[in-house]
Amino acid sequence: MRLLLVQPPLTQLNTPYPGTAYLARALRERGIPASQRDLGIELALSLFSREGLEEVFAELEEQDALPDPAWRALALAPAHLAAIDPVIAFLQGRDQSLAHRILHSPLLPTGPRLERADLEGFGPLGATDAARHLATLYLADLADLITSCVDPGFGLARYQHHLALSPAPFDPLWERLQEQSLVDRHLDDLIDTLDADVVGLSVPFPGNLYGALRIGRALKQRGVTVWMGGGYVNTELREVNEPRLWECVDALTYDDGEGPLLALIEHHQGGPDRRHRTRTALGMHEATVSALPMTSAAWYGDLDRSLYLDLLDTLNPAHRLWSEGRWNKLTLAHGCYWKRCAFCDVSLDYISRYEPARIETLLDQIEELVQTTGVRGFHLVDEAAPPRGLRDLALGLLERDLRITFWGNIRFEEAFTPDLCRLLSAAGMVAVTGGLEVASDRLLERMAKGVTVEQVARAAQAFQEAGILVHAYLMYGFPTQSVQETVDSMELVRQLFEQGLLDSAFWHRFALTRHSPVYADPAAYGVVVPEYRPGFGAGDVPHTDPQGADHDQFDAVLPVALEAWMRGRELSRPVQQWFPTRMPPATESPTRIAEALRQAAPRGRRLVWLGGGVWEEGEAVIVHSNQGTQSLFLPEPDQREWLLDVLEAATPTVGQLTVKQALSGLDAADEVGLGLLESLCEMGLVRV
């Protein structure tokens, strides 16, 4: 059996999306060969080429009514055809010499996005980044041209996304599959190159579904067996009842992915039928499949990492991490260790089944990925990386002297102390993203978030002091949320930026999903769910909030205020003044966040020395660390000897040393030892 795992268009263009790569590792570990293709990056490179643009402009020439930007693009067609291949090479990192020309010559034909480019945030030393930003905007202008005049469903990170938004009927998808746009022709040409007996399609987002169905239908017509899974299937298609779907796929897989896929392979090869949560054209087949050990790292196999584009479409630090760099993907734990938030899909396997990875195995896989990909950047794709798992990962990286860069999603909780954050920073962590959601004590409790505004502030401060970027996910429109609570939430977010605790944030509006506690008991949350016919995709549910505010009035204002705060602007402006209509002023104390930061953080029991060399010189101990060199005057020989022994025992490569064990080796009072340890905390000693 020749098995091919395919990522349909479109997701990220800077690095492979990990869906197929996680499955590939699970198969590889069981001796099952599988190849991979990312038709997203392949489709983008096919369109954004000289040949691809020639077809775009040929189609424009046949149209009579074009918007002004399209007429301008058509007039500048020769310049576009000359620029596109060099720009792609530049964004792939193959020709950095182009940066100067992009910045200082009229190489790029300007479109609406490029004309509005703001390079203020780059500075004189950011020439390459500034050029990448301009090149990305140039590509976005071309994408807009395709969207407006060739295929309205096209986008740089999605394709026909609007057809799959929940609740999604199948008729528009099916009707669109009967058509063939220029983009479809390019995709169909790529489908013709797929050569396999069985193809697995990974559909993580709505913007992948149409591409997956188009790929699957064409392959099935050639006699290829097609299976489909992924995040979108898990959340939106759990109760699918659409006969036409089976003209595009043979089976759907749910939940962990690896187990159902292995069961399908075994059954396809003539083995026993142990399919688990698998729907087929013949109906629903349920059987028991033992849970497999989680796959904690992606494996990219034959995916060519050099094809991907290092885009820079925003100055938002967290969004830049998503769209820049060739990140390898890791998972510290399957599921969420909290799994109580009222708005979340806590009833589904990807949240509810918590299983931490074995750190030693994960470290082995990190070493392997560094060797095989040449990439030292890692994105932790956990729902929320557990603090203890992060601590153990950091210690393991330091013990093995593995120099990597990593970032991921966390919960803002008190476990993230200043000491733990310093340890994570020393091990390579550069950024965290986490859900603050609604900065309201009442609503945080109502949604069972498990944190307070004060805890969020202190955790964010701990990360910031360690040099780790902090991004917050924000929510508005949670059931029963009032106008006053939204204004007060704005005020607290303003204070978080004012205190330098956040680098970036993003506000999204509450959506009711079928797998959340709110949907399970809408009356308890003040939500009314009207009678409706679920569509083909049925993850999001229509609802009304009789007790809450009119949340439409916040849609335009919140992102505008947030953009200003992220740039350090308008931080003293009263939040109600952002609105075009009269709004109540905030009732929160203007110093609430500042006061929250005054509370002392808890300290851990294990000592870890992150500094450098230490030696005795006369009656002093000379301590070298990344913060500099300091001298500790210790007239008693036993104190100097004790301190040297403690720091040697506290290095990550030696073992575990607790504060109690350290103090047991000192004859003097504990206060002396604690004082010495405290004086070292600014030089590289942490308690975790």
Side-chain angles (χ1 to χ4, degrees):
M1 179 184 71
R2 295 173 302 148
L3 174 61
L4 174 64
L5 303 175
V6 175
Q7 182 63 61
L10 285 154
T11 48
Q12 293 175 263
L13 295 181
N14 65 305
T15 197
Y17 192 79
T20 63
Y22 272 94
L23 295 174
R25 178 177 289 280
L27 296 175
R28 176 173 173 251
E29 290 174 348
R30 289 159 181 83
I32 301 174
S35 54
Q36 298 181 67
R37 290 278 294 274
D38 182 352
L39 294 197
I41 187 63
E42 293 184 37
L43 176 63
L45 295 178
S46 179
L47 285 169
F48 297 117
S49 65
R50 185 181 184 95
E51 294 77 12
L53 289 189
E54 284 175 345
E55 294 181 44
V56 170
F57 291 126
E59 189 153 320
L60 295 184
E61 288 174 348
E62 296 178 0
Q63 300 181 27
D64 295 326
L66 293 174
D68 288 342
W71 283 118
R72 174 173 171 77
L74 190 56
L76 294 174
H80 283 289
L81 297 178
I84 186 62
D85 288 342
V87 166
I88 292 297
F90 171 69
L91 290 173
Q92 289 175 328
R94 293 189 287 114
D95 184 6
Q96 295 303 298
S97 68
L98 203 67
H100 185 85
R101 288 194 64 194
I102 290 174
L103 285 175
H104 302 293
S105 73
L107 173 70
L108 303 180
T110 57
R113 292 178 186 260
L114 203 54
E115 287 175 344
R116 297 193 303 268
D118 179 6
L119 301 182
E120 178 186 347
F122 292 97
L125 298 181
T128 300
D129 279 354
R132 281 199 299 117
H133 183 52
L134 294 181
T136 302
L137 295 178
Y138 170 67
L139 219 58
D141 274 328
L142 290 175
D144 291 344
L145 178 68
I146 294 172
T147 303
S148 62
C149 302
V150 176
D151 189 331
F154 180 75
L156 282 181
R158 59 194 185 189
Y159 189 38
Q160 305 299 340
H161 168 268
H162 63 291
L163 296 176
L165 290 176
S166 182
F170 195 73
D171 284 349
L173 271 165
W174 185 251
E175 292 167 5
R176 182 64 183 79
L177 284 168
Q178 313 314 312
E179 303 172 4
Q180 188 188 55
S181 70
L182 183 149
V183 177
D184 290 328
R185 292 201 300 271
H186 280 257
L187 178 55
D188 291 344
D189 288 343
L190 292 171
I191 296 171
D192 288 341
T193 68
L194 301 180
D195 184 19
D197 303 315
V198 177
V199 169
L201 300 170
S202 176
V203 183
F205 305 117
N208 303 109
L209 179 63
Y210 171 81
L213 296 180
R214 190 170 192 93
I215 295 165
R217 187 181 64 163
L219 292 175
K220 275 181 62 64
Q221 290 172 352
R222 287 162 37 190
V224 177
T225 298
V226 179
W227 303 326
M228 187 170 76
Y232 182 88
V233 175
N234 286 337
T235 57
E236 303 286 335
L237 304 184
R238 300 192 77 88
E239 299 175 9
V240 66
N241 184 21
E242 174 50 67
R244 290 170 293 182
L245 175 65
W246 311 116
E247 294 187 29
C248 302
V249 300
D250 293 292
L252 302 180
T253 66
Y254 296 90
D255 299 328
D256 64 339
E258 292 90 343
L261 179 60
L262 287 165
L264 283 169
I265 292 171
E266 185 177 24
H267 182 60
H268 181 79
Q269 293 178 326
D273 188 353
R274 299 189 306 112
R275 291 172 293 170
H276 170 60
R277 293 290 297 162
T278 302
R279 297 180 191 274
T280 72
L282 301 177
M284 179 72 182
H285 186 100
E286 295 219 30
T288 301
V289 175
S290 300
L292 297 172
M294 66 169 288
T295 305
S296 52
W299 182 72
Y300 298 98
D302 45 7
L303 289 176
D304 186 353
R305 304 289 288 274
S306 68
L307 297 178
Y308 291 83
L309 308 178
D310 203 2
L311 303 178
L312 203 171
D313 57 354
T314 175
L315 297 186
N316 182 310
H319 292 175
R320 285 188 63 173
L321 287 172
W322 173 257
S323 62
E324 287 185 74
R326 311 285 200 266
W327 300 100
N328 293 321
K329 307 291 183 172
L330 292 177
T331 307
L332 268 177
H334 178 284
C336 178
Y337 64 92
W338 180 250
K339 57 187 174 189
R340 300 177 199 173
C341 296
F343 54 84
C344 192
D345 292 335
V346 296
S347 63
L348 295 183
D349 175 86
Y350 80 98
I351 297 290
S352 63
R353 180 171 61 84
Y354 178 69
E355 180 187 354
R358 291 186 65 254
I359 295 299
E360 288 302 313
T361 300
L362 192 62
L363 291 167
D364 291 342
Q365 293 170 347
I366 289 173
E367 288 187 312
E368 173 208 318
L369 284 169
V370 169
Q371 293 172 357
T372 57
T373 69
V375 174
R376 291 182 175 271
F378 289 82
H379 176 197
L380 302 178
V381 296
D382 298 67
E383 296 300 315
R388 179 174 294 182
L390 283 171
R391 181 202 67 182
D392 293 344
L393 173 65
L395 290 170
L397 291 169
L398 293 170
E399 288 168 2
R400 296 197 186 192
D401 199 23
L402 266 172
R403 303 295 175 170
I404 67 168
T405 299
F406 65 96
W407 63 285
N409 200 49
I410 53 95
R411 295 181 67 250
F412 291 113
E413 57 176 277
E414 286 187 324
F416 289 109
T417 64
D419 278 12
L420 176 57
C421 292
R422 289 172 66 195
L423 174 69
L424 297 176
S425 177
M429 176 172 268
V430 295
V432 293
T433 61
L436 167 57
E437 318 308 350
V438 179
S440 159
D441 290 335
R442 182 186 78 86
L443 293 173
L444 286 172
E445 182 177 359
R446 189 170 179 80
M447 64 175 58
K449 185 66 183 175
V451 299
T452 66
V453 172
E454 281 73 15
Q455 288 172 347
V456 172
R458 288 191 289 269
Q461 183 187 42
F463 283 115
Q464 291 283 5
E465 289 179 345
I468 297 172
L469 295 171
V470 179
H471 174 89
Y473 295 114
L474 307 170
M475 181 187 296
Y476 68 103
F478 190 77
T480 74
Q481 184 173 2
S482 67
V483 167
Q484 186 65 65
E485 285 174 319
T486 306
V487 171
D488 287 348
S489 183
M490 279 185 72
E491 167 60 19
L492 292 177
V493 172
R494 182 198 67 80
Q495 291 183 34
L496 289 168
F497 277 101
E498 183 181 48
Q499 293 293 322
L501 304 180
L502 296 180
D503 295 284
S504 60
F506 181 79
W507 238 305
H508 70 276
R509 189 161 168 173
F510 169 78
L512 177 60
T513 65
R514 294 174 63 87
H515 315 293
S516 66
V518 175
Y519 180 77
D521 191 1
Y525 292 91
V527 166
V528 176
V529 180
E531 289 189 13
Y532 74 103
R533 291 185 62 186
F536 168 69
D540 291 356
V541 179
H543 72 284
T544 58
D545 179 12
Q547 301 176 50
D550 173 14
H551 305 299
D552 291 347
Q553 60 192 317
F554 298 103
D555 290 347
V557 173
L558 293 178
V560 172
L562 199 58
E563 179 66 23
W565 297 338
M566 286 191 292
R567 291 175 175 260
R569 300 170 181 167
E570 309 260 19
L571 286 168
S572 60
R573 181 178 179 179
V575 292
Q576 73 272 16
Q577 292 184 7
W578 286 98
F579 295 88
T581 57
R582 185 177 179 82
M583 280 285 181
T587 60
E588 290 286 355
S589 165
T591 60
R592 180 176 174 184
I593 298 300
E595 291 168 359
L597 302 180
R598 298 192 182 105
Q599 182 175 328
R603 306 293 291 271
R605 292 177 295 177
R606 177 176 175 178
L607 293 172
V608 181
W609 173 240
L610 303 175
V614 182
W615 58 78
E616 187 176 359
E617 189 174 291
E619 295 185 342
V621 172
I622 310 300
V623 180
H624 296 272
S625 71
N626 289 343
Q627 285 71 43
T629 300
Q630 298 192 38
S631 176
L632 296 177
F633 178 69
L634 299 173
E636 300 296 329
D638 59 335
Q639 292 180 352
R640 297 194 296 273
E641 182 180 358
W642 170 82
L643 189 58
L644 293 170
D645 290 343
V646 164
L647 292 183
E648 181 180 357
T651 56
T653 56
V654 173
Q656 298 192 11
L657 178 70
T658 66
V659 175
K660 183 177 180 180
Q661 290 169 338
L663 294 177
S664 67
L666 188 66
D667 293 334
D670 286 353
E671 288 77 9
V672 175
L674 285 171
L676 289 172
L677 296 179
E678 197 64 36
S679 65
L680 288 167
C681 284
E682 295 301 320
M683 308 177 202
L685 187 68
V686 295
R687 301 179 190 175
V688 295

